[in-house]
């Protein structure tokens, strides 16, 4: 069984990629005036949560696949 640190290192790319992609997409969406669905009206917080959730899901998939 792998440690949590190893799982985080293996899944970090997914989290970072989704955070950056979400920042770009949600930033464009907010400048066009559509703020529906943003957490607290903030693009940065929403993108961070998206990145964290995606990283957690990837960690779970990696852990299940390694078992």
């Amino acid at each position: 069984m792998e440690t949590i640190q190893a799982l985080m290192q293996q899944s970090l790319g997914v989290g970072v990629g989704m955070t950056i992609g979400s920042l770009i997409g949600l930033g464009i969406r907010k400048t066009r005036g559509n703020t529906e669905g943003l957490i607290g009206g903030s693009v940065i917080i929403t993108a961070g949560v998206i990145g964290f959730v995606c990283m957690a899901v990837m960690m779970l998939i990696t852990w299940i696949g390694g078992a």
Side-chain angles (χ1 to χ4, degrees):
M1 187 163 121
E2 299 182 42
T3 64
I4 190 82
Q5 185 177 8
L7 286 171
M8 288 179 77
Q9 288 176 348
Q10 292 173 357
S11 305
L12 187 61
V14 173
V16 171
M18 286 301 297
T19 301
I20 292 170
S22 298
L23 279 171
I24 294 168
L26 293 173
I28 292 170
R29 183 175 165 205
K30 188 172 182 178
T31 57
R32 292 183 180 169
N34 187 0
T35 59
E36 185 179 337
L38 295 177
I39 298 172
S42 173
V43 171
I44 294 174
I45 292 172
T46 306
V49 169
I50 290 170
F52 177 76
V53 169
C54 290
M55 188 176 92
V57 168
M58 188 64 188
M59 287 172 58
L60 179 65
I61 292 169
T62 304
W63 181 66
I64 290 172

